[in-house]
Amino acid sequence: MEHLKKKCALLPTEPGCYLMKDHSGEVIYVGKAKNLRNRVRSYFVGSHDAKTTRMVMDIADFEYIVTASPMEALLLECNL
């Protein structure tokens, strides 16, 4: 989990989509963000509901795609 927090610090602050992956490399969640760094970091701090807590325990890595705007991120999320 600590390596994920460090990876979060390197994320850009632009809008985009993020793909959370489990230990086998399978995508377990796709989300969008106006600010990738803030949104992805939010998964690893604070408390969450049971569903989100379970997902966070399964996250082994993540990827992201920067978009030109939040609207483009929304469209990309729908396609992913």
Side-chain angles (χ1 to χ4, degrees):
M1 182 81 71
E2 200 57 40
H3 75 283
L4 293 174
K5 289 180 183 179
K6 289 178 182 178
K7 191 173 177 179
C8 287
L10 303 175
L11 284 166
T13 57
E14 283 81 24
C17 287
Y18 53 92
L19 297 88
M20 301 297 192
K21 297 182 172 190
D22 65 12
H23 294 281
S24 65
E26 287 288 318
V27 175
I28 57 173
Y29 185 77
V30 175
K32 68 179 181 316
K34 293 178 186 176
N35 179 319
L36 283 164
R37 184 181 303 154
N38 289 350
R39 181 65 185 119
V40 174
R41 186 184 304 176
S42 74
Y43 285 100
F44 304 107
V45 296
S47 60
H48 305 285
D49 62 25
K51 179 182 168 188
T52 303
T53 299
R54 174 74 181 135
M55 183 193 70
V56 170
M57 290 185 339
D58 290 339
I59 296 171
D61 197 11
F62 62 83
E63 292 182 12
Y64 64 92
I65 302 165
V66 175
T67 60
S69 68
M71 181 58 75
E72 189 178 317
L74 174 63
L75 294 171
L76 179 58
E77 179 189 35
C78 290
N79 287 316
L80 293 172

Coordinates of all heavy atoms in Angstrom, one line a residue:
M1 N 0.8 -1.2 0.0 CA 0.0 0.0 0.0 C 0.9 1.3 0.0 O 0.5 2.2 -0.6 CB -0.9 0.0 1.2 CG -1.9 1.1 1.3 SD -3.3 1.1 0.3 CE -4.3 -0.2 1.1
E2 N 2.0 1.2 0.7 CA 2.9 2.4 0.7 C 3.4 2.8 -0.6 O 3.5 4.0 -0.9 CB 4.0 2.1 1.7 CG 4.7 3.4 2.2 CD 3.7 4.3 2.9 OE1 2.9 3.8 3.7 OE2 3.9 5.5 2.7
H3 N 3.7 1.8 -1.5 CA 4.2 2.1 -2.8 C 3.1 2.8 -3.7 O 3.4 3.6 -4.5 CB 4.7 0.9 -3.6 CG 3.7 -0.1 -4.0 ND1 3.0 -0.9 -3.2 CD2 3.2 -0.3 -5.3 CE1 2.1 -1.6 -3.9 NE2 2.2 -1.2 -5.2
L4 N 1.8 2.5 -3.4 CA 0.7 3.1 -4.1 C 0.6 4.6 -3.6 O 0.3 5.5 -4.5 CB -0.6 2.4 -3.8 CG -0.7 1.0 -4.4 CD1 -2.0 0.3 -4.0 CD2 -0.6 1.0 -5.9
K5 N 0.8 4.9 -2.4 CA 0.7 6.2 -1.9 C 1.8 7.1 -2.5 O 1.6 8.2 -2.9 CB 0.8 6.3 -0.4 CG -0.4 5.7 0.3 CD -0.3 5.8 1.8 CE -1.5 5.2 2.5 NZ -1.4 5.2 4.0
K6 N 3.0 6.5 -2.6 CA 4.1 7.2 -3.3 C 3.8 7.4 -4.8 O 4.2 8.5 -5.3 CB 5.4 6.4 -3.1 CG 5.9 6.4 -1.7 CD 7.2 5.6 -1.6 CE 7.7 5.5 -0.1 NZ 8.9 4.7 0.1
K7 N 3.2 6.5 -5.4 CA 2.9 6.6 -6.8 C 1.8 7.7 -7.0 O 1.9 8.4 -8.0 CB 2.4 5.3 -7.3 CG 2.2 5.2 -8.8 CD 1.9 3.8 -9.3 CE 1.6 3.8 -10.8 NZ 1.3 2.4 -11.3
C8 N 0.9 7.8 -6.0 CA -0.1 8.9 -6.1 C 0.6 10.3 -6.1 O 0.0 11.2 -6.8 CB -1.0 8.8 -4.9 SG -2.2 7.5 -4.9
A9 N 1.6 10.4 -5.4 CA 2.3 11.7 -5.3 C 2.8 12.2 -6.7 O 3.1 13.4 -6.9 CB 3.4 11.7 -4.3
L10 N 3.0 11.2 -7.6 CA 3.6 11.5 -8.9 C 2.5 11.8 -9.9 O 2.8 12.1 -11.1 CB 4.5 10.4 -9.3 CG 5.6 10.0 -8.4 CD1 6.4 8.8 -8.9 CD2 6.6 11.2 -8.3
L11 N 1.2 11.6 -9.5 CA 0.2 11.8 -10.5 C 0.0 13.2 -10.9 O 0.2 14.1 -10.1 CB -1.2 11.3 -9.9 CG -1.4 9.8 -9.8 CD1 -2.6 9.5 -8.9 CD2 -1.7 9.3 -11.2
P12 N -0.4 13.5 -12.1 CA -0.7 14.9 -12.5 C -2.0 15.4 -11.9 O -2.8 14.6 -11.4 CB -0.8 14.8 -14.0 CG -1.3 13.4 -14.3 CD -0.6 12.5 -13.2
T13 N -2.1 16.7 -11.9 CA -3.3 17.3 -11.3 C -4.4 17.6 -12.4 O -5.4 18.2 -12.2 CB -3.0 18.6 -10.6 OG1 -2.3 19.5 -11.5 CG2 -2.1 18.3 -9.4
E14 N -4.1 17.1 -13.6 CA -5.1 17.3 -14.7 C -6.2 16.3 -14.6 O -6.2 15.3 -13.9 CB -4.4 17.1 -16.1 CG -3.5 18.2 -16.5 CD -2.1 18.2 -15.8 OE1 -1.7 17.1 -15.4 OE2 -1.5 19.3 -15.7
P15 N -7.3 16.5 -15.4 CA -8.4 15.6 -15.4 C -8.0 14.3 -16.2 O -7.0 14.3 -16.9 CB -9.5 16.3 -16.2 CG -8.8 17.4 -17.0 CD -7.5 17.7 -16.2
G16 N -8.7 13.2 -15.9 CA -8.5 12.0 -16.6 C -9.2 10.8 -16.0 O -10.1 11.0 -15.2
C17 N -8.8 9.6 -16.4 CA -9.4 8.4 -15.9 C -8.3 7.6 -15.3 O -7.2 7.7 -15.6 CB -10.0 7.6 -17.1 SG -11.5 8.3 -17.7
Y18 N -8.8 6.8 -14.3 CA -7.8 5.9 -13.6 C -8.4 4.5 -13.6 O -9.6 4.3 -13.6 CB -7.5 6.4 -12.2 CG -8.7 6.6 -11.4 CD1 -9.3 5.6 -10.5 CD2 -9.4 7.9 -11.4 CE1 -10.4 5.9 -9.8 CE2 -10.5 8.1 -10.6 CZ -11.0 7.1 -9.8 OH -12.2 7.3 -9.1
L19 N -7.5 3.5 -13.7 CA -7.9 2.1 -13.7 C -7.2 1.4 -12.6 O -5.9 1.3 -12.5 CB -7.4 1.5 -15.0 CG -8.1 2.0 -16.3 CD1 -7.3 3.2 -16.8 CD2 -8.1 1.0 -17.4
M20 N -7.9 0.9 -11.6 CA -7.4 0.2 -10.5 C -7.3 -1.3 -10.8 O -8.2 -1.8 -11.4 CB -8.3 0.4 -9.3 CG -8.6 1.8 -8.8 SD -7.0 2.6 -8.3 CE -7.7 4.0 -7.5
K21 N -6.1 -1.8 -10.5 CA -5.9 -3.2 -10.8 C -5.6 -4.1 -9.6 O -5.0 -3.6 -8.6 CB -4.6 -3.3 -11.7 CG -4.9 -2.6 -13.1 CD -3.7 -2.8 -14.0 CE -4.0 -2.2 -15.3 NZ -2.9 -2.6 -16.3
D22 N -6.0 -5.4 -9.7 CA -5.7 -6.3 -8.5 C -4.3 -6.9 -8.7 O -3.6 -6.6 -9.7 CB -6.8 -7.3 -8.4 CG -6.9 -8.3 -9.6 OD1 -6.0 -8.3 -10.4 OD2 -7.9 -9.0 -9.6
H23 N -4.0 -7.9 -7.9 CA -2.7 -8.5 -7.9 C -2.4 -9.3 -9.2 O -1.3 -9.5 -9.5 CB -2.5 -9.4 -6.7 CG -2.4 -8.6 -5.4 ND1 -1.3 -7.9 -5.0 CD2 -3.4 -8.3 -4.5 CE1 -1.6 -7.3 -3.9 NE2 -2.8 -7.5 -3.5
S24 N -3.5 -9.7 -9.9 CA -3.3 -10.5 -11.1 C -3.2 -9.5 -12.3 O -3.1 -10.0 -13.5 CB -4.4 -11.5 -11.3 OG -5.6 -10.9 -11.4
G25 N -3.4 -8.2 -12.1 CA -3.3 -7.3 -13.2 C -4.7 -7.0 -13.8 O -4.8 -6.2 -14.8
E26 N -5.7 -7.6 -13.3 CA -7.1 -7.4 -13.8 C -7.6 -6.0 -13.3 O -7.4 -5.6 -12.2 CB -8.1 -8.4 -13.3 CG -7.9 -9.8 -13.9 CD -8.4 -9.8 -15.3 OE1 -9.4 -9.3 -15.6 OE2 -7.6 -10.4 -16.1
V27 N -8.3 -5.3 -14.2 CA -8.9 -4.0 -13.9 C -10.1 -4.3 -13.0 O -11.0 -5.0 -13.4 CB -9.3 -3.2 -15.1 CG1 -10.0 -1.9 -14.7 CG2 -8.0 -2.9 -15.9
I28 N -10.1 -3.7 -11.8 CA -11.2 -4.0 -10.9 C -12.1 -2.7 -10.8 O -13.2 -2.8 -10.2 CB -10.8 -4.4 -9.5 CG1 -9.8 -3.5 -8.9 CG2 -10.2 -5.8 -9.6 CD1 -9.4 -3.8 -7.4
Y29 N -11.6 -1.6 -11.2 CA -12.4 -0.3 -11.1 C -11.9 0.7 -12.1 O -10.7 0.8 -12.3 CB -12.4 0.2 -9.7 CG -13.3 1.4 -9.5 CD1 -14.7 1.2 -9.4 CD2 -12.8 2.7 -9.5 CE1 -15.5 2.3 -9.2 CE2 -13.6 3.8 -9.4 CZ -15.0 3.6 -9.2 OH -15.8 4.7 -9.1
V30 N -12.8 1.4 -12.8 CA -12.5 2.5 -13.6 C -13.2 3.7 -13.1 O -14.4 3.7 -12.8 CB -12.9 2.2 -15.1 CG1 -12.6 3.5 -16.0 CG2 -12.2 1.0 -15.7
G31 N -12.5 4.8 -13.0 CA -13.1 6.1 -12.5 C -12.6 7.3 -13.3 O -11.6 7.2 -14.0
K32 N -13.2 8.4 -13.0 CA -12.8 9.6 -13.7 C -12.5 10.7 -12.6 O -12.9 10.5 -11.5 CB -13.9 10.1 -14.6 CG -15.1 10.6 -13.9 CD -16.2 11.1 -14.9 CE -17.4 11.6 -14.2 NZ -17.9 10.8 -13.1
A33 N -11.8 11.7 -13.0 CA -11.4 12.7 -12.0 C -11.2 14.0 -12.7 O -10.6 14.1 -13.8 CB -10.1 12.3 -11.2
K34 N -11.5 15.1 -12.0 CA -11.2 16.4 -12.5 C -9.7 16.7 -12.1 O -9.0 17.5 -12.8 CB -12.0 17.5 -11.8 CG -13.5 17.4 -12.2 CD -14.3 18.5 -11.4 CE -15.8 18.3 -11.7 NZ -16.6 19.2 -10.9
N35 N -9.2 16.1 -11.0 CA -7.9 16.2 -10.6 C -7.4 14.8 -10.2 O -7.8 14.3 -9.2 CB -7.8 17.1 -9.4 CG -6.4 17.3 -8.8 OD1 -5.6 16.4 -8.7 ND2 -6.1 18.5 -8.5
L36 N -6.6 14.2 -11.1 CA -6.2 12.8 -10.9 C -5.5 12.5 -9.5 O -5.8 11.6 -8.8 CB -5.3 12.3 -12.0 CG -6.1 11.9 -13.3 CD1 -5.1 11.8 -14.5 CD2 -6.8 10.6 -13.2
R37 N -4.6 13.4 -9.2 CA -3.8 13.2 -8.0 C -4.7 13.2 -6.7 O -4.7 12.3 -5.9 CB -2.8 14.3 -7.8 CG -1.9 14.1 -6.6 CD -0.8 15.1 -6.4 NE 0.0 15.2 -7.5 CZ 0.7 16.4 -7.9 NH1 0.6 17.4 -7.1 NH2 1.4 16.4 -9.0
N38 N -5.6 14.2 -6.6 CA -6.5 14.3 -5.5 C -7.5 13.1 -5.4 O -7.7 12.5 -4.3 CB -7.3 15.6 -5.5 CG -6.4 16.8 -5.2 OD1 -5.3 16.7 -4.8 ND2 -7.0 18.0 -5.4
R39 N -8.0 12.7 -6.6 CA -9.0 11.7 -6.5 C -8.4 10.3 -6.2 O -8.9 9.6 -5.3 CB -9.7 11.6 -7.9 CG -10.8 10.5 -7.9 CD -11.9 10.9 -6.9 NE -12.9 9.8 -6.9 CZ -13.2 9.2 -5.8 NH1 -12.6 9.4 -4.6 NH2 -14.1 8.2 -5.8
V40 N -7.3 9.9 -6.8 CA -6.7 8.6 -6.6 C -6.2 8.6 -5.2 O -6.4 7.6 -4.5 CB -5.6 8.3 -7.6 CG1 -4.9 7.0 -7.3 CG2 -6.3 8.2 -9.0
R41 N -5.6 9.7 -4.7 CA -5.1 9.7 -3.3 C -6.2 9.5 -2.3 O -5.9 8.9 -1.3 CB -4.4 11.0 -3.1 CG -3.6 11.1 -1.8 CD -3.1 12.5 -1.5 NE -2.1 12.9 -2.5 CZ -1.5 14.0 -2.6 NH1 -1.8 14.9 -1.7 NH2 -0.7 14.3 -3.6
S42 N -7.4 10.0 -2.6 CA -8.5 9.9 -1.7 C -8.8 8.4 -1.3 O -9.4 8.2 -0.3 CB -9.7 10.6 -2.2 OG -10.3 9.9 -3.2
Y43 N -8.5 7.5 -2.2 CA -8.8 6.1 -1.9 C -7.9 5.6 -0.8 O -8.3 4.6 -0.1 CB -8.6 5.2 -3.1 CG -9.7 5.3 -4.1 CD1 -9.5 6.1 -5.3 CD2 -10.9 4.7 -4.0 CE1 -10.5 6.3 -6.2 CE2 -11.9 4.8 -4.9 CZ -11.7 5.6 -6.0 OH -12.7 5.7 -6.9
F44 N -6.7 6.1 -0.6 CA -5.8 5.6 0.4 C -5.7 6.4 1.7 O -4.8 6.1 2.5 CB -4.4 5.5 -0.3 CG -4.4 4.7 -1.6 CD1 -4.4 5.4 -2.8 CD2 -4.6 3.4 -1.6 CE1 -4.4 4.6 -4.0 CE2 -4.7 2.6 -2.7 CZ -4.6 3.3 -4.0
V45 N -6.6 7.3 1.9 CA -6.6 8.1 3.2 C -8.1 8.1 3.6 O -9.0 8.1 2.8 CB -6.0 9.5 3.0 CG1 -4.6 9.5 2.7 CG2 -6.8 10.3 2.0
G46 N -8.2 8.2 4.9 CA -9.6 8.4 5.5 C -10.4 7.1 5.5 O -9.8 6.0 5.2
S47 N -11.6 7.2 5.9 CA -12.5 6.0 6.0 C -13.5 6.0 4.8 O -13.8 7.0 4.2 CB -13.2 5.9 7.3 OG -14.0 7.1 7.4
H48 N -13.9 4.8 4.4 CA -14.8 4.6 3.3 C -15.9 3.7 3.7 O -15.8 3.0 4.7 CB -14.1 4.1 2.1 CG -12.9 4.9 1.7 ND1 -13.0 6.1 1.0 CD2 -11.6 4.7 1.9 CE1 -11.8 6.6 0.8 NE2 -10.9 5.8 1.3
D49 N -16.9 3.5 2.8 CA -18.0 2.5 3.1 C -17.4 1.1 2.9 O -16.2 1.0 2.4 CB -19.2 2.8 2.2 CG -18.9 2.7 0.7 OD1 -17.9 2.0 0.3 OD2 -19.7 3.3 -0.1
A50 N -18.1 0.1 3.2 CA -17.6 -1.3 3.2 C -17.2 -1.7 1.7 O -16.1 -2.3 1.6 CB -18.7 -2.2 3.7
K51 N -18.0 -1.3 0.8 CA -17.7 -1.7 -0.6 C -16.3 -1.1 -1.1 O -15.5 -1.7 -1.7 CB -18.8 -1.2 -1.5 CG -18.6 -1.5 -3.0 CD -19.8 -0.9 -3.8 CE -19.5 -0.9 -5.3 NZ -20.5 -0.2 -6.1
T52 N -16.1 0.2 -0.8 CA -14.9 0.9 -1.2 C -13.7 0.4 -0.4 O -12.6 0.2 -1.0 CB -15.0 2.4 -1.0 OG1 -16.2 2.9 -1.8 CG2 -13.8 3.1 -1.5
T53 N -13.9 0.1 0.9 CA -12.8 -0.4 1.7 C -12.3 -1.8 1.1 O -11.1 -2.0 1.0 CB -13.3 -0.6 3.1 OG1 -13.6 0.7 3.6 CG2 -12.2 -1.2 4.0
R54 N -13.3 -2.6 0.7 CA -12.9 -3.9 0.2 C -12.1 -3.8 -1.1 O -11.2 -4.4 -1.3 CB -14.2 -4.7 0.0 CG -14.0 -6.0 -0.8 CD -13.3 -7.1 0.1 NE -13.1 -8.3 -0.6 CZ -12.0 -9.0 -0.6 NH1 -11.0 -8.7 0.2 NH2 -11.9 -10.1 -1.3
M55 N -12.6 -2.8 -2.0 CA -11.9 -2.6 -3.2 C -10.5 -2.1 -3.0 O -9.5 -2.6 -3.6 CB -12.7 -1.6 -4.1 CG -12.0 -1.4 -5.5 SD -12.6 0.0 -6.4 CE -12.0 1.4 -5.5
V56 N -10.3 -1.2 -2.1 CA -9.0 -0.6 -1.8 C -8.1 -1.7 -1.3 O -6.9 -1.7 -1.7 CB -9.1 0.5 -0.8 CG1 -7.7 1.0 -0.3 CG2 -9.9 1.7 -1.4
M57 N -8.6 -2.7 -0.6 CA -7.7 -3.8 -0.1 C -7.2 -4.6 -1.2 O -6.2 -5.2 -1.2 CB -8.5 -4.6 0.9 CG -8.7 -3.9 2.2 SD -9.5 -4.9 3.6 CE -10.3 -6.2 2.8
D58 N -8.0 -4.6 -2.3 CA -7.6 -5.4 -3.5 C -6.7 -4.7 -4.5 O -6.2 -5.3 -5.5 CB -8.9 -5.9 -4.2 CG -9.6 -7.0 -3.4 OD1 -9.0 -7.6 -2.5 OD2 -10.8 -7.2 -3.7
I59 N -6.5 -3.4 -4.3 CA -5.8 -2.7 -5.3 C -4.3 -3.0 -5.1 O -3.7 -2.8 -4.1 CB -6.0 -1.1 -5.2 CG1 -7.4 -0.8 -5.5 CG2 -5.0 -0.3 -6.1 CD1 -7.8 0.6 -5.1
A60 N -3.6 -3.4 -6.2 CA -2.2 -3.7 -6.2 C -1.5 -2.6 -7.1 O -0.3 -2.4 -6.9 CB -1.9 -5.1 -6.8
D61 N -2.2 -2.0 -8.0 CA -1.5 -1.1 -8.9 C -2.6 -0.2 -9.6 O -3.8 -0.6 -9.5 CB -0.7 -1.8 -10.0 CG 0.3 -0.8 -10.6 OD1 0.5 0.3 -10.2 OD2 0.9 -1.3 -11.7
F62 N -2.2 0.8 -10.2 CA -3.2 1.6 -11.0 C -2.5 2.2 -12.2 O -1.3 2.4 -12.2 CB -3.9 2.7 -10.1 CG -3.0 3.7 -9.6 CD1 -2.6 4.8 -10.3 CD2 -2.5 3.6 -8.3 CE1 -1.8 5.8 -9.8 CE2 -1.7 4.6 -7.7 CZ -1.3 5.7 -8.5
E63 N -3.3 2.5 -13.2 CA -2.8 3.3 -14.4 C -3.7 4.5 -14.5 O -4.8 4.5 -13.9 CB -3.0 2.4 -15.6 CG -2.0 1.2 -15.7 CD -2.2 0.4 -17.0 OE1 -2.8 0.9 -17.9 OE2 -1.6 -0.7 -17.0
Y64 N -3.3 5.4 -15.3 CA -4.2 6.6 -15.5 C -4.0 7.1 -16.9 O -3.0 6.8 -17.6 CB -3.9 7.7 -14.5 CG -2.5 8.3 -14.6 CD1 -2.2 9.4 -15.4 CD2 -1.4 7.7 -13.9 CE1 -0.9 9.9 -15.5 CE2 -0.1 8.2 -14.0 CZ 0.1 9.3 -14.8 OH 1.4 9.8 -14.9
I65 N -5.0 7.8 -17.4 CA -4.9 8.4 -18.7 C -5.4 9.9 -18.5 O -6.5 10.2 -18.0 CB -5.9 7.7 -19.7 CG1 -5.6 6.3 -19.8 CG2 -5.9 8.4 -21.1 CD1 -6.7 5.4 -20.5
V66 N -4.5 10.8 -18.9 CA -4.8 12.2 -18.8 C -5.7 12.6 -20.0 O -5.5 12.2 -21.1 CB -3.5 13.1 -18.8 CG1 -3.8 14.6 -18.8 CG2 -2.6 12.7 -17.6
T67 N -6.7 13.5 -19.7 CA -7.6 14.0 -20.8 C -7.5 15.5 -20.8 O -7.0 16.1 -19.9 CB -9.0 13.5 -20.5 OG1 -9.5 14.0 -19.3 CG2 -9.1 12.0 -20.6
A68 N -8.0 16.0 -21.9 CA -8.0 17.5 -22.1 C -9.0 18.2 -21.2 O -8.8 19.4 -20.9 CB -8.2 17.9 -23.5
S69 N -10.0 17.5 -20.7 CA -11.1 18.2 -20.0 C -11.9 17.1 -19.1 O -11.8 15.9 -19.4 CB -12.1 18.9 -20.9 OG -12.8 17.9 -21.6
P70 N -12.6 17.6 -18.1 CA -13.4 16.7 -17.4 C -14.5 16.0 -18.2 O -14.8 14.8 -18.0 CB -14.1 17.6 -16.3 CG -13.1 18.7 -16.1 CD -12.5 18.9 -17.5
M71 N -15.0 16.7 -19.3 CA -16.0 16.1 -20.1 C -15.4 14.9 -20.9 O -16.0 13.9 -21.1 CB -16.6 17.1 -21.1 CG -17.6 16.6 -22.0 SD -19.0 15.8 -21.2 CE -19.9 17.2 -20.6
E72 N -14.1 15.1 -21.4 CA -13.4 14.1 -22.1 C -13.2 12.9 -21.2 O -13.3 11.7 -21.6 CB -12.1 14.6 -22.7 CG -11.4 13.6 -23.6 CD -10.1 14.2 -24.2 OE1 -10.1 15.3 -24.6 OE2 -9.1 13.4 -24.2
A73 N -12.9 13.2 -19.9 CA -12.7 12.1 -18.9 C -14.0 11.3 -18.8 O -13.9 10.1 -18.7 CB -12.2 12.7 -17.6
L74 N -15.1 12.0 -18.7 CA -16.4 11.3 -18.6 C -16.7 10.4 -19.8 O -17.1 9.2 -19.6 CB -17.5 12.3 -18.5 CG -19.0 11.8 -18.5 CD1 -19.2 10.9 -17.3 CD2 -20.0 12.9 -18.5
L75 N -16.4 10.9 -21.0 CA -16.6 10.0 -22.2 C -15.6 8.8 -22.2 O -16.0 7.7 -22.5 CB -16.4 10.9 -23.4 CG -17.4 12.0 -23.6 CD1 -17.0 12.9 -24.8 CD2 -18.8 11.4 -23.9
L76 N -14.4 9.1 -21.8 CA -13.4 8.0 -21.8 C -13.8 6.9 -20.7 O -13.8 5.7 -21.0 CB -12.0 8.5 -21.4 CG -10.9 7.5 -21.3 CD1 -10.8 6.7 -22.6 CD2 -9.6 8.2 -21.0
E77 N -14.3 7.4 -19.6 CA -14.7 6.4 -18.5 C -15.9 5.6 -19.1 O -15.9 4.3 -18.8 CB -15.2 7.2 -17.3 CG -15.7 6.3 -16.2 CD -16.4 7.0 -15.1 OE1 -17.1 8.0 -15.3 OE2 -16.3 6.6 -13.9
C78 N -16.8 6.1 -19.8 CA -17.9 5.4 -20.3 C -17.4 4.3 -21.3 O -17.9 3.2 -21.4 CB -18.9 6.3 -21.0 SG -19.8 7.3 -19.9
N79 N -16.4 4.7 -22.1 CA -15.8 3.7 -23.1 C -15.0 2.7 -22.5 O -14.9 1.5 -23.0 CB -15.0 4.5 -24.2 CG -15.9 5.3 -25.1 OD1 -16.9 4.8 -25.6 ND2 -15.5 6.5 -25.4
L80 N -14.3 3.0 -21.4 CA -13.5 2.0 -20.7 C -14.4 1.0 -19.9 O -14.0 -0.1 -19.7 CB -12.5 2.6 -19.8 CG -11.4 3.5 -20.5 CD1 -10.6 4.2 -19.4 CD2 -10.5 2.6 -21.3

